[in-house]
Amino acid sequence: MLSSIEEKRKPIHLKSKLRKRNPKMVKGRKWILKQHFSGEPKIDDFELVEEELPELKNGEIMFRSLYISVDPYQKPFSASNPVPSTMIGSSVAVVEKSKHKGFPEGAGIVLYAGWVERGIVNPDEKLSFLGGTWKYPKIKGLSPSMMLGACGMPGLTAYFGLLRVCEPKSGETVVVSGAAGAVGSMVGQIAKIKGAKTIGFTGSDEKVKTLKDIGFDYAFNYKKISVEDALKESAPQGVDCYFDNVGGDMSTSVLQNMAQGGRVSVCGAISTYNGGKPSKCVDLLPLFLFTELKIEGFVVGRWEKEHEAGLRELARWINEGKLKAEETVVEGFENTPQAFLGLFDGSNTGKMVVKV
């Protein structure tokens, strides 16, 4: 099982015109967001900067990132940060130098320091609304990149967002939008583990095949079939749980097909991030009333104290062959912005990461 996962991790090679670093100096590189996004993200919104790192203070560590995570949430959430500033995000890294007893040299860590190749942080400080710095347990057979995907923020988002918000029961019908993405692909598989019927919407025939390969009962290319027609075929009795990654017109259509007492977990709205029209769900308020729907948004940091327990269960399911972890790997820290842009044109299947 694990070898098949590794075979799917085919790196994408992109060209770079950056100068080589001077190996004699301890320098850090990071990507700066020069200006807030206007419409679709552009390469010109970013700048790669290099700086000489200072001496460590007591309680600090120097880290070197192994993989950088690019995620759709980084676009809307970066809007509240001043510019220019380090682009937000997480990475899986190794501790190179340490003046912190809890984080020895060589330790593997996950941290929310942003798009940073090498830098210095105080692990006791919270770096982001999603968390700070934590040591991840080394689990045999799993790539460290999994701590950014199936066993990281996307996997935990799927795990807690589905199980704690939607609470699917065996035999119920679960619909997932953005189903071939890092979160959506995990949601469908977790729902299957819990005995639910799963329906996924995605944007290409290739991704439809991927969803069926990982166990979705139904998968539809929304560009070729309307949501209404797809649900007439796959959920004639209505939708019990809807895990929403997309928003917009797709969500309006699914909400109109919810079953009595349905639950909706609002995780994201990627269809609106580049200026798309928001859902007209406010027009459905009478429907919500009489079908007694529960609609709840969430941020995965709500369950921060339970993250390690969730991670270990996700890892167990992967090792048991119950979860298949899809990854799209982009080679080279210099290509982080290109990878980020790829999230919005459907370049990724599963989790998109940058191999530093």
Side-chain angles (χ1 to χ4, degrees):
M1 169 63 197
L2 292 173
S3 60
S4 66
I5 291 175
E6 291 300 318
E7 289 173 1
K8 293 178 181 178
R9 299 177 65 252
K10 296 179 181 179
I12 297 174
H13 297 277
L14 299 173
K15 295 181 180 180
S16 170
K17 297 181 180 179
L18 297 172
R19 295 177 300 172
K20 295 181 179 179
R21 292 192 307 113
N22 183 346
K24 295 181 180 180
M25 301 179 70
V26 179
K27 295 219 174 189
R29 295 193 299 172
K30 59 186 179 182
W31 279 102
I32 297 292
L33 181 63
K34 296 191 298 182
Q35 57 206 11
H36 288 135
F37 300 113
S38 177
E40 294 186 8
K42 304 177 292 295
I43 295 297
D44 290 343
D45 292 328
F46 304 96
E47 181 181 0
L48 183 58
V49 301
E50 187 176 61
E51 59 186 357
E52 189 170 0
L53 299 178
E55 292 293 324
L56 286 184
K57 298 177 182 178
N58 288 333
E60 292 183 334
I61 62 171
M62 179 184 293
F63 68 91
R64 176 175 56 82
S65 293
L66 305 176
Y67 293 90
I68 301 285
S69 179
V70 292
D71 302 279
Y73 83 85
Q74 293 168 353
K75 184 177 188 291
F77 282 91
S78 64
S80 60
N81 287 357
V83 289
S85 63
T86 304
M87 182 60 183
I88 63 173
S90 60
S91 67
V92 60
V94 62
V95 177
E96 288 192 321
K97 296 181 181 180
S98 177
K99 286 192 176 182
H100 191 296
K101 292 182 180 179
F103 291 81
E105 293 180 10
I109 59 173
V110 175
L111 72 165
Y112 289 88
W115 293 1
V116 179
E117 179 186 41
R118 177 180 277 109
I120 293 174
V121 296
N122 182 333
D124 296 328
E125 295 179 354
K126 191 167 184 177
L127 302 174
S128 153
F129 70 97
L130 289 171
T133 304
W134 53 281
K135 290 184 293 184
Y136 65 83
K138 293 185 178 180
I139 300 173
K140 186 177 180 180
L142 294 187
S143 165
S145 63
M146 292 288 176
M147 298 303 159
L148 298 176
C151 294
M153 187 271 289
L156 293 170
T157 297
Y159 181 88
F160 289 109
L162 178 68
L163 299 183
R164 297 295 176 82
V165 178
C166 282
E167 299 179 318
K169 301 176 180 62
S170 180
E172 289 191 324
T173 297
V174 175
V175 169
V176 187
S177 60
V183 175
S185 60
M186 297 292 288
V187 171
Q189 294 180 84
I190 295 171
K192 287 296 296 181
I193 290 172
K194 297 300 180 179
K197 179 174 75 172
T198 55
I199 303 167
F201 287 95
T202 187
S204 74
D205 291 342
E206 181 181 1
K207 290 182 179 181
V208 165
K209 182 179 183 305
T210 296
L211 293 181
K212 291 180 178 179
D213 288 345
I214 63 176
F216 276 72
D217 295 292
Y218 293 88
F220 298 98
N221 180 348
Y222 66 85
K223 297 177 182 178
K224 290 188 172 182
I225 183 173
S226 71
V227 174
E228 292 84 355
D229 288 342
L231 293 179
K232 284 179 183 178
E233 173 188 341
S234 59
Q237 303 304 314
V239 175
D240 299 294
C241 300
Y242 175 40
F243 196 100
D244 186 12
N245 292 301
V246 171
D249 291 340
M250 177 178 292
S251 292
T252 300
S253 297
V254 176
L255 291 171
Q256 290 174 319
N257 287 275
M258 297 296 294
Q260 189 75 22
R263 290 86 69 199
V264 180
S265 180
V266 182
C267 176
I270 194 171
S271 69
T272 69
Y273 291 168
N274 289 331
K277 294 181 180 180
S279 171
K280 297 179 180 179
C281 64
V282 68
D283 297 334
L284 303 179
L285 288 178
L287 174 66
F288 300 165
L289 170 64
F290 293 110
T291 53
E292 299 181 289
L293 298 187
K294 183 184 85 168
I295 302 176
E296 183 176 344
F298 72 96
V299 175
V300 70
R302 182 195 306 183
W303 299 282
E304 184 175 0
K305 293 182 179 179
E306 301 176 67
H307 279 188
E308 184 169 341
L311 181 159
R312 289 188 179 279
E313 183 157 35
L314 289 166
R316 178 171 62 81
W317 285 338
I318 292 172
N319 281 324
E320 290 175 353
K322 295 178 179 178
L323 278 180
K324 298 178 182 178
E326 298 283 345
E327 287 187 315
T328 301
V329 183
V330 173
E331 291 277 2
F333 182 68
E334 300 86 355
N335 295 311
T336 307
Q338 288 95 326
F340 179 65
L341 269 57
L343 295 171
F344 300 95
D345 64 19
S347 296
N348 63 303
T349 297
K351 180 72 186 84
M352 178 90 89
V353 296
V354 176
K355 185 175 181 181
V356 177

